[in-house]
Amino acid sequence: MTHPAWNEDTGGAVYRSRDPICNLRIRVCLQRVTSTSLLLQQLQQPSCQPGQQLISLATLGSQNAASGYRPEEEEEEAVIGWQEKLFSQFEVDLYQNKSACQSPLDRQYHQDILKLEKSGGRKNYRIFTYTDHDRFTNMEEHCKRVTTSAQEAPSYLAERMANVRRRRQERKPLDGSVFKSRIVTWKPSEEFIKNNHVINTPMQTMYIMADLGPQDKLGHGDCEHVLCTIRVDSNGVITVKPDFTGTKGAYRIELEGEKRELWKYTLENASAVVQREEEEREQRVFKDLYSRHKEYLQGLVGSDFEMTLPGSLRLFINGEIVSAQGYEYNNLYIHFFLELPSRWSCPPSQQLSGVTQTCATKVIGKDRVAFFSFPFTLEVFFTQEDELEGSLPQWPVLYFEVLSLDFWQRYRVEGYGFVMLPATPGAHTLTVSTWRPVEPGTVSELRRFFIGGSPELEDLTYTRVPSTFQGDRLSRFGFRTETTGSVTFRLNCLQQSKAFLESSSMKKRMQSVLDRMGGFSQRGSLYGVLEAFQRARRRMQEARESLPQDLISTSTAQL
Amino acid sequence: MAEVHVIGQIVGASGFSSSSLFCKWGIHTGGAWKLLSGLREGQTQVDNPQLDDVAYWSHPIDVHFATKGLQGWPKLHLQVWHQDSFGRCELYGYGFCHVPSSPGFHRLDCVTWRPLGSWQEQLSQRFVGGGPQLLNSDLIYMGADRYRLQTCAMGTVHLQLAVLLRNFDRYGVEA
């Protein structure tokens, strides 16, 4: 006899669906697992192990006599739609007399039951449902016990939450105009607080229940058991607790009481599956919509994009001079220019130099900092003339000097520096240290302090390799400098070239080729190993043959 | 046509001499750029920090641009204002930063400055507030006429921007 594999995992599962929730259908099969059904099963399918069968028959036989054999109550199956009301025996009894009906919902149920009676009684027997509007749903949420404590009472918060939940149904959809007119509610009403102090996804609940009372005494409240709880919120999130029994075994309910009857039930998603053609049609509609939207965007902007000439690289730099820190004097400004090496060019409108505003410093930590946030945009082109030339292209360099201006309009050189424009695209933050030339002796420093002015570079490119320099050794012997502060640049580099286009497509093509090669190469390596083995074997044979005959004969003799 | 999404926030400001700050911001783009969705300018609430000197705004930025070229890459310009206890607003700083051109998440610190008046104006500013402002706010994000200005360094505005690029690789642009 096979023991049924019970599903012990009664945790919920979360599903998401974009379909309207009214399409949800759940098939519930409820079956009593008692001696009788087991007996019946075994009678129908004789087991291959007679010994065991006898034992089980014997042990189950005693119970068999106690509960009568009624084939019609053994099993019940129902397909239930979302918020579909199936009345229980208890409800039928209750709502049949009109005097018990108080709320409009009760009266509605009264009508429904009368109609049912006319049309020949209800179809369901044990399985029934409680919908979102039913009193049970609220009660269940309100009085739900979470511990084994007998005196557990709902906490203040739980009561509040239950209130909130009930309120949600009555709530009308929010209209935004109320919130636009005033952002802050200075005098929130009690109701407003209740509604707004919890996460507010409106949720609907439905319970699938079973009345597991004895056959002739259906309709007792204490025999009702929850088979499944289904919650759906407005975003299409469906929570089913416990989960549908797919390949897993059935769930079981063990009744309390002396008989300890055992019931098993399965839950199945019986929603109509979307037809293949419909699905395709939906896909097509979506595709159409997306392509329309794309066309619309292209109509707005235009589908073209400015391109570079073939064989040229466009370097596009969005830069800013952020700040200068650590300088001796106040009121700093920065003068900068870009040097383009040979084979680099720029459009005629491009400004290649600039002067920032004069900025009074402020003290941060130990340093005095001047903030510029000075924008500049550089757009330069590199044209490759002949590919044969092996030398790497020289990259443009930004030279700058930091100057200070004082109250008497005297200016002083504060520092010189240069930035190699980054050769990789992306965002770069560069902090460049600077120096200034000093003359030996105190006189020039005194002059600098009192009347301003100080030794200056005639050519800013001296900070790197002077533009006039020719020769193979650059010597700065005898030139004295002093370290001053530093300047922070932020550079966002973009590079554009037709070659990238080709290379990226090349990369892809290469990749696919490599992928295809992958299979070959593996097989190739296998062949390689085999071949090497053959070669080694041949060499060994040759070596063996070349050995003196007597050596071989002695070795065989020893063996 | 290539597209740029900028999603992020103006987190807050620090380093200003007094609290109770708010920020006006805008994004300037060149002619080849078109705003597809989102707001290209806005203003935060006034934030009055109680303990720290950092004012937090957490103001959202969510814009979607389409472009025909690289020229005129979006520039974010900011104005930090101070509101005093009498409800008077006073300029505290102009700031600027390029929207990063590389995709990904960027934390940016945008430094600010403010025009400096004559010494009489500075004196009156010290006691009654106020002070000179820019006539044209395009000087915030243009470098051309900056040399005329006399400024002083103010605080820093903190930004977090996530940049998404689309179709740039189709036109041979590496970012």
Side-chain angles (χ1 to χ4, degrees):
Chain A
M1 187 195 104
T2 52
H3 189 78
W6 295 118
N7 196 344
E8 300 293 344
D9 176 23
T10 53
V14 180
Y15 298 90
R16 285 174 182 79
S17 170
R18 261 182 267 168
D19 264 359
I21 189 61
C22 56
N23 292 338
L24 179 69
R25 295 267 180 288
I26 293 174
R27 178 179 292 121
V28 187
C29 291
L30 182 71
Q31 192 182 5
R32 175 187 284 198
V33 189
T34 47
S35 49
T36 48
S37 66
L38 287 176
L39 181 66
L40 199 70
Q41 226 173 20
Q42 279 165 16
L43 288 174
Q44 280 165 353
Q45 340 168 295
S47 172
C48 52
Q49 288 167 298
Q52 254 188 355
Q53 188 187 7
L54 276 177
I55 292 167
S56 51
L57 270 178
T59 47
L60 296 169
S62 57
Q63 285 183 6
N64 187 16
S67 73
Y69 169 60
R70 295 191 193 88
E72 69 275 4
E73 72 161 323
E74 288 300 322
E75 201 170 339
E76 183 173 349
E77 187 179 306
V79 177
I80 299 164
W82 175 244
Q83 298 292 2
E84 186 187 335
K85 180 69 187 164
L86 298 179
F87 292 103
S88 67
Q89 186 63 47
F90 177 73
E91 280 172 315
V92 171
D93 295 344
L94 178 70
Y95 295 125
Q96 239 166 5
N97 49 341
K98 203 162 185 193
S99 56
C101 304
Q102 287 160 355
S103 65
L105 183 74
D106 293 356
R107 260 162 254 144
Q108 171 72 37
Y109 282 165
H110 175 69
Q111 302 275 324
D112 289 349
I113 286 169
L114 288 185
K115 238 180 267 170
L116 263 178
E117 295 286 322
K118 261 181 224 164
S119 64
R122 62 200 178 98
K123 303 280 188 298
N124 57 317
Y125 189 66
R126 286 188 186 276
I127 297 172
F128 63 100
T129 61
Y130 283 126
T131 62
D132 198 51
H133 312 287
D134 276 323
R135 213 170 294 139
F136 174 84
T137 310
N138 286 330
M139 289 294 284
E140 174 76 9
E141 255 151 61
H142 190 235
C143 308
K144 197 175 186 178
R145 280 169 54 176
V146 284
T147 62
T148 53
S149 162
Q151 286 145 9
E152 187 185 315
S155 69
Y156 178 73
L157 180 65
E159 268 174 43
R160 276 300 168 92
M161 287 296 287
N163 268 340
V164 168
R165 199 206 153 274
R166 217 167 314 160
R167 213 166 287 279
R168 266 185 219 147
Q169 301 164 2
E170 296 150 18
R171 227 169 134 185
K172 287 171 191 75
L174 289 174
D175 48 335
S177 56
V178 180
F179 283 89
K180 261 177 201 160
S181 58
R182 43 157 214 251
I183 300 163
V184 180
T185 313
W186 295 108
K187 284 178 190 156
S189 64
E190 197 82 354
E191 194 130 320
F192 185 84
I193 293 172
K194 273 181 191 164
N195 285 337
N196 282 280
H197 284 209
V198 282
I199 299 169
N200 222 334
T201 29
M203 198 174 260
Q204 284 197 312
T205 316
M206 180 183 179
Y207 290 92
I208 298 175
M209 309 285 295
D211 189 342
L212 302 181
Q215 169 67 13
D216 43 355
K217 280 185 269 175
L218 283 180
H220 279 280
D222 50 348
C223 295
E224 292 178 2
H225 287 262
V226 179
L227 297 186
C228 182
T229 312
I230 305 143
R231 283 171 218 273
V232 175
D233 76 2
S234 56
N235 305 327
V237 177
I238 305 163
T239 314
V240 184
K241 181 183 173 356
D243 193 8
F244 297 123
T245 48
T247 53
K248 296 175 281 184
Y251 296 107
R252 70 175 189 174
I253 300 176
E254 201 179 306
L255 293 191
E256 288 173 12
E258 24 184 75
K259 276 186 278 180
R260 297 227 162 250
E261 279 182 18
L262 195 60
W263 291 81
K264 77 168 185 182
Y265 66 99
T266 59
L267 300 165
E268 266 177 79
N269 179 15
S271 314
V273 180
V274 67
Q275 292 296 309
R276 199 188 170 84
E277 294 106 53
E278 274 180 41
E279 203 169 359
E280 274 171 13
R281 201 168 57 203
E282 201 178 275
Q283 294 254 328
R284 237 177 297 135
V285 166
F286 274 122
K287 217 180 268 179
D288 205 42
L289 181 74
Y290 291 142
S291 66
R292 285 257 181 87
H293 185 69
K294 205 169 149 190
E295 274 168 29
Y296 166 71
L297 288 186
Q298 284 193 343
L300 277 181
V301 187
S303 57
D304 50 338
F305 196 88
E306 52 172 333
M307 292 298 289
T308 53
L309 295 170
S312 71
L313 171 79
R314 182 192 196 192
L315 184 63
F316 192 86
I317 294 185
N318 294 312
E320 57 201 273
I321 301 175
V322 180
S323 60
Q325 51 273 327
Y327 289 98
E328 193 182 356
Y329 285 85
N330 206 336
N331 293 319
L332 302 171
Y333 67 96
I334 295 173
H335 171 221
F336 68 93
F337 67 87
L338 186 76
E339 192 205 33
L340 293 176
S342 60
R343 290 192 282 167
W344 286 85
S345 60
C346 69
S349 59
Q350 175 69 50
Q351 270 203 332
L352 292 176
S353 68
V355 183
T356 68
Q357 79 267 26
T358 313
C359 188
T361 57
K362 73 177 229 175
V363 178
I364 295 179
K366 281 181 185 168
D367 275 349
R368 305 220 292 185
V369 185
F371 289 158
F372 297 107
S373 65
F374 179 88
F376 59 89
T377 305
L378 303 171
E379 186 187 4
V380 287
F381 294 93
F382 173 73
T383 323
Q384 204 167 26
E385 271 146 12
D386 42 354
E387 290 178 33
L388 295 173
E389 213 170 307
S391 64
L392 284 167
Q394 280 190 307
W395 219 252
V397 186
L398 192 83
Y399 294 96
F400 65 91
E401 57 180 334
V402 184
L403 302 148
S404 68
L405 201 69
D406 75 0
F407 184 73
W408 308 103
Q409 303 299 318
R410 299 171 306 185
Y411 79 92
R412 299 177 175 86
V413 172
E414 292 290 334
Y416 293 105
F418 70 93
V419 187
M420 288 285 285
L421 294 186
T424 50
H428 304 264
T429 304
L430 306 169
T431 302
V432 184
S433 300
T434 58
W435 47 261
R436 68 177 178 88
V438 287
E439 262 178 83
T442 51
V443 181
S444 74
E445 286 306 294
L446 282 174
R447 190 191 296 142
R448 178 178 152 88
F449 181 77
F450 284 108
I451 58 172
S454 52
E456 289 177 37
L457 293 183
E458 204 175 283
D459 181 10
L460 242 63
T461 58
Y462 188 77
T463 53
R464 206 169 147 256
V465 184
S467 54
T468 52
F469 174 71
Q470 278 170 343
D472 51 359
R473 272 187 202 83
L474 176 66
S475 168
R476 286 180 179 163
F477 185 71
F479 181 60
R480 296 175 63 124
T481 61
E482 187 184 75
T483 307
T484 51
S486 60
V487 180
T488 304
F489 290 83
R490 197 152 50 204
L491 303 171
N492 286 300
C493 301
L494 289 162
Q495 295 178 1
Q496 187 181 19
S497 172
K498 282 243 167 89
F500 291 156
L501 210 60
E502 285 150 20
S503 70
S504 73
S505 62
M506 257 302 253
K507 226 184 276 171
K508 264 178 218 155
R509 219 180 305 147
M510 277 296 283
Q511 228 157 30
S512 64
V513 166
L514 278 177
D515 282 346
R516 247 179 292 154
M517 284 289 285
F520 285 131
S521 68
Q522 238 172 25
R523 220 176 300 158
S525 67
L526 194 68
Y527 285 138
V529 168
L530 283 174
E531 210 171 40
F533 175 66
Q534 294 288 351
R535 240 181 293 136
R537 190 181 156 144
R538 226 177 302 133
R539 228 171 334 162
M540 205 173 76
Q541 273 173 346
E542 275 166 20
R544 208 185 156 103
E545 273 162 20
S546 64
L547 272 178
Q549 279 301 313
D550 53 346
L551 202 67
I552 294 172
S553 62
T554 51
S555 65
T556 47
Q558 268 174 0
L559 281 170
Chain B
M1 183 187 78
E3 290 169 57
V4 179
H5 279 269
V6 185
I7 302 165
Q9 57 173 334
I10 305 174
V11 177
S14 63
F16 286 94
S17 49
S18 52
S19 53
S20 181
L21 303 170
F22 68 94
C23 176
K24 292 182 184 180
W25 63 274
I27 294 178
H28 175 84
T29 52
W33 293 71
K34 182 126 193 147
L35 183 77
L36 290 184
S37 62
L39 300 169
R40 66 157 79 223
E41 56 188 9
Q43 180 177 324
T44 71
Q45 78 276 18
V46 183
D47 187 64
N48 192 4
Q50 295 195 317
L51 276 178
D52 234 355
D53 77 324
V54 186
Y56 286 102
W57 299 310
S58 303
H59 188 87
I61 294 176
D62 189 343
V63 278
H64 180 192
F65 290 107
T67 180
K68 286 196 279 186
L70 296 179
Q71 243 159 19
W73 194 272
K75 297 168 175 177
L76 189 77
H77 52 92
L78 307 156
Q79 299 177 22
V80 180
W81 291 71
H82 166 69
Q83 192 181 47
D84 68 8
S85 52
F86 302 106
R88 300 176 303 176
C89 296
E90 182 187 355
L91 178 87
Y92 257 35
Y94 294 111
F96 152 86
C97 65
H98 282 288
V99 169
S101 59
S102 56
F105 180 75
H106 302 266
R107 281 172 206 276
L108 298 172
D109 289 334
C110 178
V111 297
T112 60
W113 47 266
R114 137 174 118 170
L116 209 61
S118 63
W119 67 269
Q120 291 100 327
E121 277 174 328
Q122 286 180 44
L123 197 69
S124 75
Q125 189 177 6
R126 180 161 293 233
F127 289 107
V128 295
Q133 296 167 22
L134 292 183
L135 265 181
N136 285 326
S137 59
D138 60 350
L139 205 60
I140 307 170
Y141 50 84
M142 304 281 264
D145 273 348
R146 280 279 186 101
Y147 60 90
R148 295 178 200 278
L149 268 174
Q150 181 87 341
T151 64
C152 72
M154 299 300 288
T156 312
V157 177
H158 308 283
L159 300 158
Q160 292 177 357
L161 297 179
V163 179
L164 290 101
L165 304 182
R166 187 177 182 217
N167 287 348
F168 278 95
D169 54 344
R170 196 180 282 178
Y171 304 108
V173 179
E174 297 218 334

